């Protein structure tokens, strides 16, 4: 279980650093991403969605507030600030495969 927490924190650090290379290391090849604006399937598509965001903004700050585990999934309560704006409240649901990589990201705003 602690492996999932560490992988989640690596994912959040990579996202905040706008580091697609590091993101690739924690995401499974069959990863899916769904949030309030995007829906992507497969590593290449998910990385492209993230890279488009990275290119469109100056800074990203991710503050994990609470992480809850249920089997091979985590619910992660976050604050995400873009370009110094007031942070958004976000809930990420991360699901992990047998190798401990993230195979599903579902993000909800609010």
């Amino acid at each position: 279980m602690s492996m999932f927490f560490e992988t989640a924190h690596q994912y959040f650090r990579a996202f905040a650093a706008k580091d697609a290379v590091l993101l690739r290391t924690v995401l499974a090849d069959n990863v899916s991403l769904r949030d309030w604006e995007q829906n992507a399937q497969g590593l290449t598509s998910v990385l492209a969605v993230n890279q488009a965001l990275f290119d469109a903004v100056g800074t990203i700050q991710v503050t994990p507030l609470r992480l809850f585990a249920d089997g091979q999934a985590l619910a992660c309560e976050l604050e995400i600030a873009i370009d110094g704006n007031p942070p958004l409240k976000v809930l990420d649901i991360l699901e992990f495969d047998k190798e401990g990589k993230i195979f599903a990201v579902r993000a909800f705003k609010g």
Side-chain angles (χ1 to χ4, degrees), residues 12-110:
F12 301 139
R13 284 192 298 270
F15 187 81
K18 303 191 312 183
D19 186 341
V21 173
L22 183 55
L23 274 181
R24 179 182 292 277
T25 68
V26 297
L27 298 176
D29 289 341
N30 64 335
V31 66
S32 64
L33 168 69
R34 185 182 75 214
D35 67 19
W36 55 94
E37 294 182 359
Q38 303 288 333
N39 192 5
Q41 181 68 43
L43 183 59
T44 301
S45 294
V46 169
L47 289 173
V49 164
N50 279 282
Q51 191 63 55
L53 173 65
F54 298 164
D55 293 343
V57 302
T59 61
I60 302 172
Q61 181 180 6
V62 179
T63 305
L65 302 174
R66 296 182 204 164
L67 281 70
F68 303 94
D70 182 25
Q72 293 204 198
L74 295 179
C76 309
E77 184 182 356
L78 311 168
E79 288 185 339
I80 300 177
I82 305 291
D83 291 333
N85 289 308
L88 297 172
K89 301 284 188 186
V90 176
L91 177 68
D92 273 6
I93 307 295
L94 307 177
E95 292 187 71
F96 298 84
D97 65 15
K98 293 176 190 170
E99 287 77 41
K101 291 196 172 198
I102 299 167
F103 77 85
V105 179
R106 291 185 305 281
F108 304 91
K109 183 168 64 169

